């Protein structure tokens, strides 16, 4: 969609091209010149030099070079090209200043908003489950160094382990079933929603619908809790008093919010982790955005 928008503004967009440059150099040297001495066109109107005929000799050298280089657009360069066009030309990009303006904006309108981006509750829950699994494997390791670190971090007065402990059986992951279900749910849909707490315009929540084909887990982690700007199309407006799921298109969105809150609350009982999950619902006023670009 980003490439299509950019191509529409430019009357077509070539993603790759070859540029050929030819350079020709000539050098000459005159020992003696017979007749009228020539100067550049710039100076000929002011200088007229004539010499008596004399014996003349000259040498000259010429060189020719041809260079071909390939140029190709990247996703980022297309985004920069499109963003520059939208900023220089009025009528294409709307920057709402309040929620009231969103109510007058129709679906498909291209807008720019800014705020702090957060993972939705399901993606955050998956991170928490992974973190708990890593912790249990770390805590149950029979490595002497790891055991010493754990011993040093225990509060004073607690029983200290001495010597190398016996290798325990493989720790059971209490969240294994939940992780498998979450992962299966995430893989069945091409969509992953992120939640943008807007500062421009202030007081608005936006659900940013990201395509997983163009999104790596690392990318989402890099964006999480960072301030970003989003340019995209409005696909839904949620008025005040109404709500929408924070992770629509997931099967989990079909479950009642109170049931999900109860199920997700079990992660708060894990003393080893500090887990603050976003709410499973987005309360209006809010909008849903299909982004063309998300950038800092």
């Amino acid at each position: 969609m980003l490439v299509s928008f950019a191509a529409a503004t430019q009357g077509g967009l070539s993603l790759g091209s070859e540029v050929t440059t030819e350079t020709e150099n000539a050098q000459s040297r005159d020992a003696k010149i017979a007749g009228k001495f020539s100067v550049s066109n710039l100076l000929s109107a002011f200088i007229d030099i004539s010499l008596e005929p004399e014996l003349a000799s000259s040498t000259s050298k010429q060189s020719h070079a041809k260079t071909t280089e390939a140029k190709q657009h990247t996703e980022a360069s297309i985004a920069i090209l499109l963003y520059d066009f939208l900023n220089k030309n009025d009528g294409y990009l709307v920057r709402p200043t309040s929620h009231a303006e969103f109510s007058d904006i129709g679906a498909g309108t291209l807008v720019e908003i800014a705020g702090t981006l957060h993972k939705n509750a399901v993606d955050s829950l998956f991170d928490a489950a992974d973190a708990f699994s890593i912790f249990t494997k770390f805590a149950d390791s029979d490595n002497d160094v790891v055991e010493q670190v754990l011993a040093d971090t225990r509060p004073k007065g607690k029983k200290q382990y001495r010597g190398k402990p016996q290798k325990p059986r493989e720790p059971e992951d209490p969240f294994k079933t939940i992780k498998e279900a979450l992962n299966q749910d995430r893989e069945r849909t091409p969509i992953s929603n992120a939640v943008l707490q807007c500062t421009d315009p202030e007081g608005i929540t936006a659900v940013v619908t990201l395509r997983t084909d163009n999104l790596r887990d690392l990318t989402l982690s890099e964006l999480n809790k960072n301030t970003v700007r989003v340019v995209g199309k409005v696909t839904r407006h949620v008025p005040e008093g109404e709500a929408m799921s924070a992770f629509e298109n997931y099967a989990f969105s079909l479950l009642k919010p109170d049931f999900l809150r109860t199920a997700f609350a079990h992660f708060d009982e894990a003393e080893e982790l500090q887990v603050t999950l976003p709410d499973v619902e987005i309360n209006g006023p809010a909008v849903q955005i299909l982004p063309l670009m998300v950038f800092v």
Side-chain angles (χ1 to χ4, degrees), residues 57-253:
S57 64
S58 64
T59 60
S60 64
K61 294 181 179 180
Q62 291 185 347
S63 63
H64 182 80
K66 182 178 180 180
T67 304
T68 301
E69 61 180 6
K71 294 185 177 182
Q72 186 171 357
H73 272 296
T74 65
E75 293 89 343
S77 67
I78 294 174
I80 292 171
L81 179 70
L82 176 59
Y83 189 68
D84 181 66
F85 175 86
L86 295 174
N87 278 285
K88 289 181 178 179
N89 295 272
D90 296 331
Y92 290 95
L93 187 61
V94 178
R95 294 182 173 88
T97 58
S98 66
H99 171 252
E101 292 186 26
F102 270 108
S103 61
D104 297 330
I105 293 176
T109 302
L110 201 60
V111 299
E112 180 179 1
I113 55 179
T116 303
L117 196 73
H118 299 272
K119 292 183 178 181
N120 64 52
V122 169
D123 289 335
S124 298
L125 191 65
F126 199 90
D127 289 345
D130 278 344
F132 190 85
S133 297
I134 294 172
F135 177 82
T136 54
K137 292 179 181 179
F138 177 82
D140 289 308
S141 172
D142 63 342
N143 185 285
D144 289 337
V145 176
V146 173
E147 175 58 29
Q148 184 60 47
V149 171
L150 291 176
D152 293 340
T153 57
R154 293 188 181 97
K156 293 182 179 180
K158 294 289 181 98
K159 182 180 179 180
Q160 303 291 323
Y161 293 97
R162 297 182 179 180
K164 184 176 180 179
Q166 294 182 355
K167 184 177 181 180
R169 61 184 177 84
E170 186 69 20
E172 294 183 359
D173 186 351
F175 301 114
K176 181 179 180 180
T177 303
I178 296 178
K179 287 194 304 179
E180 291 176 351
L182 289 175
N183 194 44
Q184 183 178 2
D185 191 16
R186 293 199 308 174
E187 290 181 349
R188 59 168 287 278
T189 176
I191 298 298
S192 179
N193 289 336
V195 180
L196 184 71
Q197 299 294 338
C198 294
T199 55
D200 183 18
E202 190 173 0
I204 301 293
T205 302
V207 176
V208 183
T209 304
L210 305 168
R211 289 193 62 85
T212 53
D213 289 344
N214 302 323
L215 185 69
R216 298 174 291 110
D217 284 340
L218 179 59
T219 305
L220 188 55
S221 296
E222 291 170 342
L223 294 174
N224 187 42
K225 298 183 180 181
N226 283 327
T227 300
V228 299
R229 303 194 72 84
V230 178
V231 174
K233 296 193 298 183
V234 176
T235 57
R236 183 191 305 185
H237 172 251
V238 181
E240 190 171 358
E242 297 185 14
M244 66 174 290
S245 172
F247 38 84
E248 288 195 348
N249 302 304
Y250 285 6
F252 274 81
S253 64

